[in-house]
Amino acid sequence: MEKFKYIASCNFTLFYPELSRKVQDVMHTRPDVDIIHCCTDRYKVKEFEE
């Protein structure tokens, strides 16, 4: 089975961290979805790096 990809956008996470967290929490419950985090250092939110 091919997995879907959810890309946690840097800007979305930066400007809407609470909503981004909620979306990622839902995506974590889906075994058919891989979450990809942005790799741009200036946009990283520390809580998502853990």
Side-chain angles (χ1 to χ4, degrees), residues 9-34:
S9 162
C10 299
N11 286 327
F12 181 68
T13 300
L14 178 67
F15 293 109
Y16 306 99
E18 290 179 27
L19 183 55
S20 180
R21 165 70 75 194
K22 289 178 183 181
V23 170
Q24 291 182 60
D25 286 347
V26 170
M27 291 297 148
H28 277 297
T29 67
R30 306 248 341 242
D32 61 332
V33 176
D34 281 333

